Amino acid sequence: MTEKKHAISDEKIDGIISILLRVGVAISSVTVFCGGVVYLMRHGGESPGYHIFVGEPAQFRTIPGAAKMAEAFYGRGIIQLGLLLLIATPIMRVVFTVFSFLFQKDRVYVGVTLIVLCVLLFSLAGGR
Amino acid sequence: MDILTFSTLIFSGSLIAGFLGALTGLGGGVVIVPLLTLGFGVDIRYAIGASLVSVIATSSGAAAAYVKEGFSNIRLGMFLEMATTFGAFIGAGVAALISTQVIAIIFGLVLLYSAYLSFRGHEPDPYDENDAPDFFAHSFHLDGSYPDGHAAVPYHVHHVPTGFSLMFLAGGLSGLLGIGSGAVKVLAMDQAMQVPFKVSTTTSNFMIGVTAAASAGVYLSRGYIDPGLAMPVMLGVVVGALLGSKVLTNSKPKLLRVLFAGIILILGIEMIYNGMTGRI
């Protein structure tokens, strides 16, 4: 592969990563905002209870749980779905980077990126 | 105080934090936890969860702009992310084992250190032409170049094992405290690995989102991320950071930076005090 070819593909990849990050943040912000409106309309008059830590109920602790709550149109479920989309944004970036290194035939970095991806997915699975 | 008032106040506070963070380049994440715990009496575990989410949002937003400019070194970032993500995963695990008082004290110490770094300002790159090329930098193709006008300026990466270890620490602090640890990341690249300043700040920013995502999963499954609290924090920080980056893109106002560093210093002392007296 010549130097020039390499530079062009690198630049293209940077452009795609940039768009990916922007779209991810935009979509998740809008989702969180919509969920926030629903949540405040229904619960805005109640009093907050964050002084004592009890932890979130089980349905907000997993991806399928949050998706189910969002589907049922719970404000907090929609917010949690938006937050999950936000967490997914950098992970998608890593997935995309795996493919871009594959495309560049850089085997060492396909390996490096896969290691990072494994840690991320292991964590998202709750470390089990 | 009802939830609507509570959310509005937190949104406003987070907006100011995000705005000042973007203007001064110090990042807003580091003041969110003190704002929530000291200002609103929120349990530090909920505060850390909400802060971590906002860190992902601002880092991804800023990285989108930086990546395009061609300053960030994607290979270097990916290589070091092996250390930061693993560190973050461990840090998030440790957070569950130690008391909230200890977390508050460590948080305070990190705030003091960040304040010290911003008072001192940026020192010239400790570049030494005679340093031997690093074995890892060579075998992992970490050296790169950055644009300066029309020319590409090449640079070498040094002391990779030291930088890699510092990155593990940065990841650990990020997972433990729900912050971006940008200051430690820049220290590792700027001082230890002797990467040019512009490259180290942008590459560090690019790494923060991925690092935070590694502990977000652990936080989520422990129930630290509360949608009702994270919502105003995340939206406030995102809007604030967007406004901050629109107002000024290049010059970092020195007075504002010193002022913000002063606030961080006071918050750091207060976090340590509250941690020691068991009020957190």
Side-chain angles (χ1 to χ4, degrees):
Chain A
M1 201 188 291
T2 64
E3 271 301 311
K4 210 179 169 191
K5 243 183 176 174
H6 200 101
I8 288 169
S9 65
D10 260 4
E11 237 166 65
K12 256 190 194 163
I13 288 161
D14 288 352
I16 297 169
I17 287 179
S18 174
I19 293 167
L20 189 83
L21 291 174
R22 271 175 223 271
V23 170
V25 174
I27 291 177
S28 61
S29 300
V30 170
T31 311
V32 169
F33 178 78
C34 294
V37 171
V38 174
Y39 167 67
L40 289 178
M41 269 166 44
R42 290 195 188 144
H43 301 282
E46 297 166 18
S47 50
Y50 298 116
H51 295 286
I52 300 149
F53 182 79
V54 282
E56 292 310 298
Q59 63 266 36
F60 289 123
R61 292 187 187 207
T62 59
I63 301 168
K68 213 178 267 176
M69 297 300 280
E71 218 179 325
F73 212 66
Y74 280 104
R76 289 158 62 86
I78 301 171
I79 298 172
Q80 206 73 329
L81 188 71
L83 298 179
L84 285 172
L85 288 172
L86 183 67
I87 296 168
T89 300
I91 300 177
M92 284 313 294
R93 202 211 79 197
V94 176
V95 172
F96 179 79
T97 313
V98 174
F99 285 109
S100 74
F101 282 132
L102 262 178
F103 174 71
Q104 295 186 348
K105 296 198 174 61
D106 190 334
R107 270 197 249 154
V108 175
Y109 273 88
V110 170
V112 166
T113 316
L114 280 176
I115 291 173
V116 174
L117 189 62
C118 284
V119 177
L120 289 173
L121 294 179
F122 185 69
S123 157
L124 206 62
R128 278 179 288 261
Chain B
M1 185 161 48
D2 60 15
I3 288 182
L4 185 62
T5 322
F6 180 78
S7 303
T8 312
L9 285 175
I10 287 185
F11 175 81
S12 315
S14 307
L15 192 143
I16 296 168
F19 183 74
L20 288 177
L23 266 190
T24 55
L26 295 173
V30 85
V31 295
I32 293 294
V33 171
L35 174 82
L36 293 176
T37 51
L38 303 174
F40 292 93
V42 172
D43 184 283
I44 197 166
R45 284 162 285 197
Y46 285 134
I48 286 174
S51 164
L52 188 81
V53 166
S54 73
V55 164
I56 300 180
T58 45
S59 145
S60 301
Y66 287 143
V67 166
K68 236 177 155 185
E69 286 173 12
F71 283 107
S72 41
N73 183 334
I74 296 196
R75 280 194 173 74
L76 180 62
M78 259 316 159
F79 179 78
L80 295 174
E81 271 167 15
M82 288 194 293
T84 60
T85 50
F86 190 63
F89 182 71
I90 303 283
V94 171
L97 301 175
I98 60 178
S99 75
T100 53
Q101 277 99 322
V102 177
I103 295 177
I105 293 169
I106 297 174
F107 204 109
L109 292 173
V110 171
L111 286 174
L112 294 187
Y113 175 68
S114 306
Y116 161 74
L117 275 188
S118 35
F119 276 128
R120 196 194 59 177
H122 161 236
E123 280 180 7
D125 300 329
Y127 192 75
D128 186 359
E129 203 57 57
N130 298 323
D131 266 12
D134 189 275
F135 169 74
F136 293 99
H138 180 73
S139 44
F140 280 93
H141 311 287
L142 299 177
D143 298 339
S145 61
Y146 62 91
D148 185 18
H150 289 290
V153 184
Y155 58 84
H156 292 287
V157 177
H158 299 275
H159 307 298
V160 174
T162 316
F164 198 81
S165 316
L166 279 171
M167 282 296 169
F168 179 77
L169 177 74
L173 287 174
S174 169
L176 183 66
L177 307 174
I179 57 174
S181 289
V184 185
K185 286 195 177 80
V186 175
L187 179 81
M189 278 192 274
D190 212 38
Q191 302 293 319
M193 302 173 84
Q194 300 172 12
V195 175
F197 187 62
K198 185 83 182 169
V199 175
S200 63
T201 44
T202 51
T203 306
S204 148
N205 201 300
F206 161 92
M207 294 168 63
I208 286 173
V210 176
T211 309
S215 32
V218 180
Y219 282 4
L220 189 77
S221 62
R222 289 238 173 78
Y224 284 23
I225 300 178
D226 180 272
L229 182 68
M231 179 264 297
V233 172
M234 179 223 166
L235 293 177
V237 170
V238 166
V239 173
L242 209 64
L243 289 176
S245 62
K246 284 272 184 312
V247 171
L248 278 173
T249 41
N250 288 319
S251 61
K252 302 264 179 279
K254 199 161 180 242
L255 185 72
L256 203 63
R257 203 183 154 88
V258 170
L259 187 79
F260 196 53
I263 296 174
I264 291 177
L265 177 74
I266 295 165
L267 290 175
I269 294 168
E270 223 170 313
M271 285 297 278
I272 294 173
Y273 177 75
N274 279 279
M276 282 180 169
T277 51
R279 273 190 251 181
I280 257 181

